[in-house]
Amino acid sequence: MDLKLASLLVLPISYIVWSLFSLASNYATAQKVGVQLIVLPISPLNPIWMLVDKFFIPILKLLPFGSGNFTRYQRLGWEFEDRSKTHEELGDAYMAVTPGKNWLYICDHEAISDLLLRRNEFKRPLEILDKLNVFGPNVSTVEDQAWLRHRRVTAPPFNENNNNLVWIESLCQVEQMLEYWKSKKVVTTLAQDAKTFSLHVLSSAGFGKSYPFNSSSDFASSSRSSTYKDSLCLILENAILILVLGPKLLSNRFLQRIFPSHWVRVGRATVDFKAYMAEIIEEEKLSLAQGKQSRDNLMTALIRSSSEAERGQSLTEAEIFGNMFIFNFAGHDTTAHTLAYTFVLLAAHPNVQMWMSQEIRHVCGSTTTSALNYRQIFPKQKRCLAVLLETVRLYDPLLAFTKSTGTAARTLKVAGNPILIPANTMVLPSLLAVQSHPRYWSPDPVAWRPSRWIVPSSDPNNAFEGETFHTPLKGSYIPWSDGGRACPGKRFAQVEFVAAMAALFRDHYVEPVVKHGESMERARKRMEEVVADSGMVLLLQMLRPERAGVCWKKL
């Protein structure tokens, strides 16, 4: 019995010894950097801790010693609540020492800008991003010459023709979504409906498949992933499961006998979705061979771009699969969560609604929603875009993105002082910190105020057309990253968002549904509390958006 017990204890004791040794070694390395240090006994990449932290942290906070660095920094998504506080306390650069690797956090606009431009020195850590190779390598998971090859092929499909498709489909979906919302006395499905909206726009602009808007309660209810839409929905809604287990494991017929039924459906969805993409590739190759012009969408444009690339520079079928997955993965939840935040924030701020609506009515006039022209309307909707810019400034879905020094030490100048960063160090531009730091965003750095992005017109007779955008310091605002690896879908997301705002708020407004005994002022405050109750799941999102009951009314 003692031997069995000893055997069981070998693994955890060995892990603890290794962690302590690694922590001491990494601490000795970090001390040489010359920045303030935070010691964390568990690596942020520890998969077990990522699954259980939400259960242990609240318990530890109740203990007398539970208010230290452990409960402050070992929570997934701690950056949202912290924002720029730690940088204001410790400086523009500080290092978290962990048993895995050391993590250097940066909140200096010049250093961040320099970091992003030096992509050959500060690369993405492929050991983290490899999990995104769900269907194949893609532009987010490759480096060096492979990245250049992917970039050359994947950039052309994100063009104005595709943006026009995004605009048209967004207007169509919003009209249907608004009619559904107006039929309800109380709408509590803003977040889920935003996901449906985003999915349908991706389906149309990405694959040429259009679907009528349905309430979230009616969506993907089939017991098996029998359609393309259901397959894509199941994949995007279960991205964490797929990233952890992988499509091969989930679709293994032997394992499916013991898997939960939901896992089996997700596994089938990955098979169906891949088969659908393979079918499109074959159809497009046949069209190319016959000299036919196919319908524009991201998938067909990607295939054509690859086929037109120089010899040795095209993408394999697996790489096309991988890039289409990452386009959908990156574009679905980010847009959906941003829209959900915006709807709730607008319900709490009627003055912003009116400010935005004035411009929409001026630009769009009495033109029917479906007839609004992308090239004429989108460039003039500055206030709509300002609402997006302000929302992602404070509620960036990613919180941070990671670079690495790789196998060599790198020098980076922070606040005018050069720092020698050791090899194998993670380097993180602190997105929410730099995007809410008083140095860059005073006097109200954490207030949601979209008007900060608009410079008023100096001509009273040209009030709307004369407005211009405020340009923040380079490196102080990077929700879509910057430099060579900036998000290729930035314009796609902006067009989708602005179309939604223009169609919704020209003739309608949203307000909180007042509860019994509650004033409208208190109801609006409750909306802000729902927004504040956010956390990291796969991305930053409101944890209980259904508590934001709203109603939509005509102006």
Side-chain angles (χ1 to χ4, degrees), residues 234-282:
L234 278 168
I235 288 170
L236 295 176
E237 290 292 334
N238 296 275
I240 295 178
L241 177 65
I242 295 172
L243 292 176
V244 172
L245 297 182
K248 288 185 178 179
L249 196 64
L250 285 169
S251 59
N252 184 284
R253 292 186 178 181
F254 174 77
L255 293 175
Q256 284 184 343
R257 298 173 184 174
I258 59 174
F259 279 164
S261 59
H262 178 69
W263 289 20
V264 175
R265 288 199 300 273
V266 174
R268 288 174 182 166
T270 63
V271 173
D272 291 348
F273 184 65
K274 190 173 181 178
Y276 178 78
M277 289 195 291
E279 182 181 323
I280 293 181
I281 288 176
E282 290 307 312

Coordinates of all heavy atoms in Angstrom, one line a residue, residues 234-282:
L234 N -21.4 25.2 -35.2 CA -20.9 24.3 -34.2 C -19.4 24.4 -34.0 O -18.9 24.4 -32.9 CB -21.3 22.8 -34.6 CG -22.7 22.3 -34.2 CD1 -23.0 21.0 -34.8 CD2 -22.8 22.2 -32.7
I235 N -18.7 24.6 -35.1 CA -17.3 24.7 -35.0 C -16.9 26.0 -34.3 O -16.0 26.0 -33.4 CB -16.6 24.7 -36.4 CG1 -16.7 23.3 -37.0 CG2 -15.2 25.2 -36.4 CD1 -16.3 23.3 -38.5
L236 N -17.5 27.1 -34.6 CA -17.2 28.4 -34.0 C -17.6 28.5 -32.6 O -17.0 29.1 -31.7 CB -17.8 29.5 -34.8 CG -17.2 29.7 -36.2 CD1 -18.0 30.8 -37.0 CD2 -15.7 30.0 -36.2
E237 N -18.8 27.8 -32.3 CA -19.3 27.9 -30.9 C -18.5 26.9 -30.0 O -18.5 27.0 -28.7 CB -20.8 27.5 -30.8 CG -21.7 28.5 -31.5 CD -21.8 29.8 -30.6 OE1 -21.5 29.7 -29.4 OE2 -22.0 30.8 -31.2
N238 N -17.8 26.0 -30.6 CA -17.0 25.0 -29.8 C -15.5 25.1 -30.1 O -14.8 24.0 -30.1 CB -17.5 23.6 -30.0 CG -19.0 23.4 -29.5 OD1 -19.2 23.1 -28.4 ND2 -19.9 23.6 -30.5
A239 N -15.1 26.3 -30.4 CA -13.7 26.4 -30.8 C -12.7 25.9 -29.7 O -11.6 25.4 -30.1 CB -13.4 27.9 -31.1
I240 N -13.0 26.2 -28.5 CA -12.0 25.8 -27.4 C -11.9 24.2 -27.4 O -10.8 23.7 -27.3 CB -12.5 26.2 -26.0 CG1 -12.5 27.8 -25.9 CG2 -11.6 25.6 -24.9 CD1 -13.0 28.3 -24.6
L241 N -13.0 23.5 -27.5 CA -13.0 22.1 -27.6 C -12.2 21.6 -28.8 O -11.3 20.7 -28.6 CB -14.4 21.5 -27.6 CG -14.6 20.0 -27.8 CD1 -14.1 19.3 -26.5 CD2 -16.0 19.7 -28.0
I242 N -12.3 22.2 -29.9 CA -11.6 21.8 -31.1 C -10.1 22.1 -31.0 O -9.3 21.3 -31.4 CB -12.2 22.5 -32.4 CG1 -13.7 22.0 -32.6 CG2 -11.4 22.2 -33.6 CD1 -14.4 22.7 -33.6
L243 N -9.8 23.3 -30.4 CA -8.4 23.7 -30.3 C -7.7 22.7 -29.3 O -6.5 22.4 -29.5 CB -8.3 25.1 -29.7 CG -8.7 26.2 -30.7 CD1 -8.7 27.5 -30.0 CD2 -7.9 26.2 -31.9
V244 N -8.4 22.2 -28.3 CA -7.8 21.3 -27.3 C -7.6 19.9 -27.8 O -6.5 19.3 -27.7 CB -8.6 21.3 -26.0 CG1 -8.1 20.3 -25.0 CG2 -8.5 22.7 -25.3
L245 N -8.7 19.4 -28.4 CA -8.7 18.0 -28.8 C -8.3 17.8 -30.3 O -7.7 16.8 -30.7 CB -10.0 17.3 -28.6 CG -10.5 17.3 -27.1 CD1 -11.8 16.6 -27.0 CD2 -9.5 16.5 -26.3
G246 N -8.6 18.8 -31.1 CA -8.3 18.6 -32.6 C -9.4 17.9 -33.3 O -10.0 17.0 -32.8
P247 N -9.6 18.2 -34.6 CA -10.7 17.6 -35.4 C -10.4 16.1 -35.6 O -11.4 15.3 -35.7 CB -10.7 18.3 -36.7 CG -9.3 19.0 -36.8 CD -8.9 19.3 -35.3
K248 N -9.2 15.6 -35.7 CA -8.9 14.2 -35.9 C -9.4 13.4 -34.7 O -10.0 12.3 -34.9 CB -7.4 14.0 -36.1 CG -6.9 14.5 -37.5 CD -5.4 14.1 -37.7 CE -5.0 14.6 -39.0 NZ -3.5 14.3 -39.2
L249 N -9.1 13.8 -33.5 CA -9.6 13.1 -32.4 C -11.1 13.1 -32.2 O -11.7 12.1 -31.9 CB -8.9 13.7 -31.1 CG -8.9 12.8 -29.8 CD1 -8.1 11.5 -30.1 CD2 -8.4 13.6 -28.7
L250 N -11.7 14.3 -32.5 CA -13.1 14.4 -32.3 C -13.9 13.6 -33.4 O -15.0 13.2 -33.1 CB -13.5 15.9 -32.4 CG -13.2 16.8 -31.2 CD1 -13.4 18.2 -31.5 CD2 -14.1 16.4 -30.0
S251 N -13.3 13.4 -34.5 CA -14.0 12.7 -35.6 C -13.6 11.2 -35.6 O -14.0 10.5 -36.6 CB -13.7 13.4 -36.9 OG -12.3 13.4 -37.2
N252 N -12.8 10.8 -34.7 CA -12.4 9.3 -34.7 C -13.6 8.5 -34.4 O -14.2 8.6 -33.3 CB -11.3 9.1 -33.6 CG -10.8 7.7 -33.6 OD1 -11.4 6.8 -33.1 ND2 -9.6 7.5 -34.1
R253 N -13.9 7.5 -35.2 CA -15.1 6.7 -35.1 C -15.1 5.9 -33.9 O -16.2 5.7 -33.2 CB -15.3 5.9 -36.3 CG -15.7 6.7 -37.6 CD -16.0 5.8 -38.8 NE -16.4 6.6 -39.9 CZ -16.7 6.0 -41.1 NH1 -16.7 4.7 -41.2 NH2 -17.1 6.8 -42.1
F254 N -13.9 5.3 -33.5 CA -13.9 4.5 -32.3 C -14.1 5.3 -31.1 O -14.9 4.9 -30.2 CB -12.5 3.8 -32.2 CG -12.3 3.0 -31.0 CD1 -12.9 1.8 -30.8 CD2 -11.5 3.6 -29.9 CE1 -12.7 1.1 -29.6 CE2 -11.4 2.9 -28.7 CZ -11.9 1.6 -28.6
L255 N -13.5 6.5 -31.0 CA -13.6 7.3 -29.8 C -15.0 7.9 -29.7 O -15.5 8.2 -28.6 CB -12.6 8.5 -29.8 CG -11.1 8.0 -29.6 CD1 -10.2 9.2 -29.7 CD2 -11.0 7.3 -28.2
Q256 N -15.7 8.1 -30.8 CA -17.0 8.7 -30.8 C -18.0 7.8 -30.1 O -19.1 8.3 -29.7 CB -17.5 9.0 -32.2 CG -16.9 10.2 -32.9 CD -17.4 10.6 -34.2 OE1 -18.1 9.7 -34.9 NE2 -17.2 11.8 -34.7
R257 N -17.7 6.5 -29.9 CA -18.5 5.6 -29.2 C -18.6 5.9 -27.7 O -19.6 5.6 -27.0 CB -18.1 4.2 -29.4 CG -18.1 3.7 -30.8 CD -17.5 2.3 -30.9 NE -17.4 1.8 -32.3 CZ -16.8 0.7 -32.7 NH1 -16.2 -0.1 -31.8 NH2 -16.8 0.4 -34.0
I258 N -17.5 6.6 -27.2 CA -17.5 6.9 -25.8 C -17.6 8.4 -25.5 O -17.7 8.8 -24.4 CB -16.2 6.3 -25.1 CG1 -14.9 6.9 -25.8 CG2 -16.2 4.8 -25.2 CD1 -13.6 6.5 -25.2
F259 N -17.5 9.2 -26.5 CA -17.6 10.6 -26.4 C -19.0 11.0 -26.0 O -20.0 10.4 -26.4 CB -17.2 11.4 -27.7 CG -15.7 11.5 -27.8 CD1 -15.2 11.8 -29.1 CD2 -14.8 11.3 -26.8 CE1 -13.8 12.0 -29.3 CE2 -13.4 11.5 -27.0 CZ -12.9 11.8 -28.2
P260 N -19.2 12.2 -25.3 CA -20.5 12.7 -25.1 C -21.1 13.1 -26.5 O -20.4 13.4 -27.5 CB -20.3 14.0 -24.3 CG -18.9 13.8 -23.7 CD -18.1 12.9 -24.6
S261 N -22.4 13.0 -26.6 CA -23.1 13.2 -27.9 C -22.8 14.6 -28.5 O -22.7 14.7 -29.7 CB -24.6 13.0 -27.7 OG -25.1 14.0 -26.8
H262 N -22.6 15.6 -27.6 CA -22.3 16.9 -28.2 C -20.9 16.9 -28.9 O -20.8 17.5 -29.9 CB -22.3 17.9 -27.1 CG -22.0 19.3 -27.5 ND1 -22.8 20.1 -28.3 CD2 -20.8 20.1 -27.3 CE1 -22.2 21.2 -28.6 NE2 -21.0 21.2 -28.0
W263 N -20.0 16.2 -28.3 CA -18.6 16.1 -28.9 C -18.7 15.4 -30.2 O -18.0 15.8 -31.2 CB -17.7 15.3 -28.0 CG -17.3 16.1 -26.7 CD1 -17.9 17.1 -26.1 CD2 -16.1 15.8 -25.9 NE1 -17.3 17.5 -25.0 CE2 -16.2 16.7 -24.8 CE3 -15.1 14.8 -25.9 CZ2 -15.2 16.7 -23.8 CZ3 -14.1 14.8 -25.0 CH2 -14.2 15.8 -23.9
V264 N -19.6 14.4 -30.3 CA -19.7 13.7 -31.5 C -20.3 14.6 -32.6 O -19.8 14.6 -33.8 CB -20.7 12.4 -31.4 CG1 -21.0 11.8 -32.7 CG2 -20.1 11.5 -30.4
R265 N -21.3 15.4 -32.3 CA -21.8 16.4 -33.3 C -20.7 17.4 -33.7 O -20.7 17.7 -34.9 CB -23.0 17.1 -32.7 CG -24.2 16.3 -32.5 CD -25.5 17.1 -32.3 NE -25.4 18.0 -31.2 CZ -25.8 17.7 -30.0 NH1 -26.3 16.4 -29.7 NH2 -25.7 18.5 -29.0
V266 N -19.9 17.8 -32.8 CA -18.8 18.7 -33.2 C -17.8 18.0 -34.1 O -17.4 18.6 -35.1 CB -18.1 19.3 -31.9 CG1 -16.9 20.1 -32.3 CG2 -19.1 20.1 -31.0
G267 N -17.5 16.8 -33.8 CA -16.6 16.0 -34.7 C -17.2 15.9 -36.1 O -16.4 16.0 -37.0
R268 N -18.5 15.6 -36.2 CA -19.1 15.5 -37.5 C -19.1 16.8 -38.2 O -18.9 16.9 -39.4 CB -20.5 15.0 -37.3 CG -20.7 13.5 -36.9 CD -22.1 13.2 -36.6 NE -22.3 11.8 -36.2 CZ -23.4 11.4 -35.6 NH1 -24.5 12.2 -35.5 NH2 -23.5 10.1 -35.3
A269 N -19.2 17.9 -37.4 CA -19.2 19.2 -38.0 C -17.9 19.5 -38.7 O -17.8 20.1 -39.8 CB -19.6 20.3 -37.0
T270 N -16.8 19.1 -38.0 CA -15.5 19.4 -38.6 C -15.3 18.6 -39.9 O -14.7 19.1 -40.9 CB -14.4 19.0 -37.6 OG1 -14.4 17.6 -37.4 CG2 -14.5 19.8 -36.3
V271 N -15.8 17.4 -40.0 CA -15.7 16.5 -41.2 C -16.6 17.2 -42.3 O -16.1 17.3 -43.4 CB -16.2 15.1 -40.9 CG1 -16.3 14.3 -42.2 CG2 -15.2 14.4 -39.9
D272 N -17.8 17.6 -42.0 CA -18.7 18.1 -42.9 C -18.2 19.4 -43.5 O -18.3 19.7 -44.7 CB -20.1 18.4 -42.3 CG -20.8 17.1 -42.0 OD1 -20.4 16.0 -42.5 OD2 -21.9 17.1 -41.3
F273 N -17.7 20.3 -42.6 CA -17.1 21.6 -43.0 C -15.9 21.4 -43.9 O -15.8 22.1 -45.0 CB -16.8 22.4 -41.8 CG -16.3 23.8 -42.1 CD1 -17.2 24.7 -42.6 CD2 -15.0 24.2 -41.8 CE1 -16.8 26.0 -42.9 CE2 -14.6 25.5 -42.1 CZ -15.5 26.4 -42.7
K274 N -15.1 20.5 -43.6 CA -13.9 20.3 -44.5 C -14.3 19.7 -45.8 O -13.8 20.1 -46.9 CB -13.0 19.3 -43.8 CG -11.6 19.1 -44.4 CD -10.7 18.3 -43.6 CE -9.3 18.2 -44.3 NZ -8.4 17.4 -43.4
A275 N -15.3 18.8 -45.8 CA -15.8 18.3 -47.1 C -16.5 19.4 -47.9 O -16.3 19.4 -49.2 CB -16.9 17.2 -46.8
Y276 N -17.2 20.3 -47.3 CA -17.8 21.4 -48.0 C -16.7 22.3 -48.6 O -16.8 22.7 -49.8 CB -18.6 22.3 -47.1 CG -19.3 23.5 -47.7 CD1 -20.4 23.3 -48.5 CD2 -18.7 24.7 -47.6 CE1 -20.9 24.4 -49.2 CE2 -19.3 25.8 -48.2 CZ -20.4 25.6 -49.0 OH -20.9 26.7 -49.7
M277 N -15.6 22.6 -47.9 CA -14.6 23.4 -48.5 C -13.9 22.7 -49.6 O -13.5 23.3 -50.6 CB -13.5 23.8 -47.4 CG -14.0 24.8 -46.4 SD -12.7 25.5 -45.3 CE -12.2 24.1 -44.4
A278 N -13.7 21.4 -49.5 CA -13.1 20.6 -50.6 C -13.9 20.7 -51.8 O -13.4 20.7 -53.0 CB -12.9 19.2 -50.1
E279 N -15.2 20.6 -51.6 CA -16.2 20.7 -52.8 C -16.1 22.0 -53.5 O -16.0 22.1 -54.7 CB -17.6 20.5 -52.2 CG -18.7 20.4 -53.3 CD -20.0 20.2 -52.7 OE1 -20.2 19.5 -51.8 OE2 -21.0 20.9 -53.3
I280 N -16.0 23.1 -52.7 CA -15.8 24.4 -53.3 C -14.5 24.5 -54.1 O -14.5 25.1 -55.2 CB -15.9 25.5 -52.2 CG1 -17.3 25.6 -51.6 CG2 -15.6 26.9 -52.8 CD1 -17.4 26.6 -50.6
I281 N -13.5 24.0 -53.5 CA -12.2 24.0 -54.2 C -12.2 23.3 -55.6 O -11.7 23.9 -56.6 CB -11.1 23.4 -53.3 CG1 -10.7 24.3 -52.1 CG2 -9.8 23.2 -54.1 CD1 -9.8 23.7 -51.2
E282 N -12.8 22.2 -55.6 CA -12.9 21.4 -56.9 C -13.8 22.2 -57.9 O -13.5 22.3 -59.1 CB -13.5 20.0 -56.6 CG -12.6 19.1 -55.9 CD -11.2 19.0 -56.5 OE1 -11.2 18.8 -57.8 OE2 -10.2 19.2 -55.8

